[in-house]
Amino acid sequence: MESIGRNDPCWCGSGKKYKKCHLDRENQTPVTLNEIEQVRKKGGSWQKCLHPEAGSKCDKVVRAHSVQRQGGLSRIAREGHVYQLEHRFPKILQNKGTPSLGLVGIKEATTFTGMCGFHDNETFMPIESGAVSFTPEQCFLFAYRSLCKEVYAKQAIRGNTELFRELDKGQPKEVQAAIQRIATWRNTGYAEGVAELETVKSEYDRILLESNGYVDLRYYAVELDRTPEIMCSGFGSPETDFDGNRIQHLADLEPIQNISFSLISNVEHVSNEDAGAGVFAWLGEQPAMECLMRSFHGIPDAEKPAALVRYVFGGHENFAISPEWYDARTAEEQQAIKQRILSGASWEYPQHDFTDDGHRTVDWQVKAVHISKSLEACLVGS
């Protein structure tokens, strides 16, 4: 580093001149918690309508709910609030780097600024205007909304990359080098993740715009007898099935296989009838996801609700929890939930699969299972 001239490109790869970047960095004032929180909020304010026909029809980008607010979050809220993962940096630091649960108002919970008001209303009306009847269109829209939320989340995190590079202010040069290596790796990883998601989304966009384009859709929907106290909208790449078997390795060079999952209330807005649903969905032939669903299909109906709970907490971050339900759990049950949420985050919380842990924290009953014809043949013998 000492051999770098003042006007040379900085060694960290920022593209800035050394004199405007890392020159005398070890003597600079460290970044404050307030600065970190402000940059986090700025990254989280990434806004863009992700609809494939975004353009002249777009109006203002809105805080779109990935889980419905009316008839959904409103049914599990306490005084207008639900539990979600706490993302404020000072709180995470207070908890020694591990996220915790915090109360969030239902106007903000599960939202993302990834749709304008026009396209949010027009696109998702079939799953917002009343009870879901598990048509291919509806199951596809649950998947599409989860995917858009995930694209937004990745883009928002990328917006914090420059903040991460600033965390070496006031640090020795060897620490600066280590932080910059991590920042480069982090930015590269998220850039690749966004690119991969954009490729997946282009296929979903194509199907969204086709009038009869659900031939490639696979879905498995579990109809529940009541509103679930936990709601979720997620898009991910599970590595194990419900039996604990490895179904894919994310570190492999093979294309990653993805699946969406939505755990929702399923009620008419004008009705007091209680109902819910868990909807898995993906596109095309994905052997890993077929293995996942074969293992789930083989679980007795009476045990499927507990499996859904394990799947939410073991594989997703975008969920909302009823405060009444969570606060009524025993200390042991809350610890088990916490361990699943934090699985893989540190050595204290090793990576979990979705196998049965013996906890039965919900009393939902399965009313029916709805399976796409394209998936039925894969489940034979499960």
Side-chain angles (χ1 to χ4, degrees):
M1 296 181 191
E2 284 76 4
S3 63
I4 298 177
R6 289 172 55 86
N7 291 311
D8 290 339
C10 188
W11 58 265
C12 72
S14 65
K16 300 177 183 178
K17 291 183 178 181
Y18 180 52
K19 67 181 180 181
K20 292 187 177 294
C21 194
H22 272 80
L23 179 63
D24 203 35
R25 178 67 69 104
E26 61 270 22
N27 295 317
Q28 295 177 6
T29 302
V31 176
T32 67
L33 287 179
N34 183 60
E35 289 174 324
I36 292 173
E37 180 62 11
Q38 292 304 313
V39 174
R40 184 197 68 81
K41 288 181 178 179
K42 183 179 179 181
S45 65
W46 185 88
Q47 296 184 10
K48 179 182 179 181
C49 181
L50 293 171
H51 192 278
E53 293 185 330
S56 59
K57 291 183 179 180
C58 287
D59 52 14
K60 182 179 179 181
V61 172
V62 298
R63 298 195 70 87
H65 280 81
S66 55
V67 174
Q68 75 266 42
R69 176 183 167 192
Q70 295 300 325
L73 297 175
S74 63
R75 295 178 74 91
I76 67 171
R78 180 175 64 196
E79 298 179 351
H81 291 75
V82 294
Y83 280 134
Q84 276 202 286
L85 276 179
E86 179 65 76
H87 290 106
R88 290 175 297 177
F89 190 82
K91 193 71 174 180
I92 294 175
L93 196 64
Q94 179 183 330
N95 292 320
K96 299 180 179 179
T98 57
S100 59
L101 296 176
L103 287 171
V104 180
I106 61 174
K107 289 185 178 180
E108 301 294 325
T110 78
T111 59
F112 66 109
T113 50
M115 280 283 168
C116 71
F118 172 79
H119 284 116
D120 184 47
N121 291 330
E122 180 187 62
T123 303
F124 301 114
M125 183 65 70
I127 57 175
E128 289 285 350
S129 58
V132 174
S133 55
F134 308 101
T135 65
E137 179 191 31
Q138 290 173 330
C139 292
F140 171 80
L141 289 175
F142 282 121
Y144 188 73
R145 184 160 63 180
S146 296
L147 173 57
C148 288
K149 174 66 168 70
E150 185 66 15
V151 171
Y152 160 82
K154 287 287 194 298
Q155 291 284 13
I157 292 174
R158 282 189 71 191
N160 294 332
T161 298
E162 289 309 310
L163 165 69
F164 200 93
R165 289 193 177 278
E166 297 290 311
L167 294 181
D168 63 356
K169 287 184 176 180
Q171 300 296 328
K173 290 186 176 181
E174 59 270 20
V175 175
Q176 294 176 31
I179 289 176
Q180 294 304 316
R181 283 196 298 271
I182 294 171
T184 299
W185 169 82
R186 181 178 181 271
N187 190 40
T188 300
Y190 278 113
E192 291 175 352
V194 169
E196 182 177 297
L197 277 177
E198 292 288 1
T199 300
V200 173
K201 185 175 177 292
S202 66
E203 184 63 16
Y204 278 78
D205 287 341
R206 178 187 66 79
I207 292 176
L208 179 71
L209 299 178
E210 290 182 355
S211 58
N212 59 347
Y214 303 111
V215 176
D216 291 333
L217 179 69
R218 274 73 166 161
Y219 64 85
Y220 190 113
V222 182
E223 191 174 356
L224 303 171
D225 68 336
R226 66 197 68 191
T227 297
E229 295 90 348
I230 308 155
M231 296 186 183
C232 174
S233 175
F235 193 91
S237 309
E239 293 188 87
T240 60
D241 65 13
F242 287 88
D243 296 323
N245 300 313
R246 179 74 62 176
I247 56 177
Q248 65 176 336
H249 291 268
L250 300 187
D252 286 350
L253 297 180
E254 296 295 324
I256 295 174
Q257 300 178 40
N258 304 288
I259 189 170
S260 73
F261 178 68
S262 300
L263 186 57
I264 57 164
S265 171
N266 187 24
V267 297
E268 293 282 359
H269 294 174
V270 296
S271 170
N272 289 322
E273 182 181 352
D274 213 12
V279 182
F280 299 86
W282 70 93
L283 292 181
E285 293 184 5
Q286 297 195 50
M289 300 307 104
E290 292 171 5
C291 288
L292 179 75
M293 296 322 302
R294 274 197 296 270
S295 66
F296 180 78
H297 188 64
I299 298 172
D301 282 358
E303 303 298 328
K304 281 185 170 69
L308 294 179
V309 173
R310 298 195 298 273
Y311 189 71
V312 170
F313 292 137
H316 303 85
E317 295 183 358
N318 184 40
F319 54 75
I321 305 173
S322 161
E324 296 287 353
W325 174 83
Y326 183 79
D327 291 346
R329 306 279 62 80
T330 66
E332 181 184 359
E333 289 171 339
Q334 289 187 359
Q335 181 63 14
I337 291 170
K338 179 182 178 181
Q339 287 180 336
R340 284 205 176 270
I341 293 173
L342 300 179
S343 63
S346 73
W347 63 268
E348 289 185 89
Y349 302 100
Q351 187 72 45
H352 278 273
D353 53 33
F354 309 121
T355 53
D356 195 347
D357 57 8
H359 290 285
R360 300 293 182 269
T361 56
V362 296
D363 55 3
W364 318 331
Q365 300 295 320
V366 175
K367 291 174 61 177
V369 172
H370 307 268
I371 305 171
S372 62
K373 290 184 179 180
S374 54
L375 182 58
E376 285 179 346
C378 299
L379 301 179
V380 173
S382 298

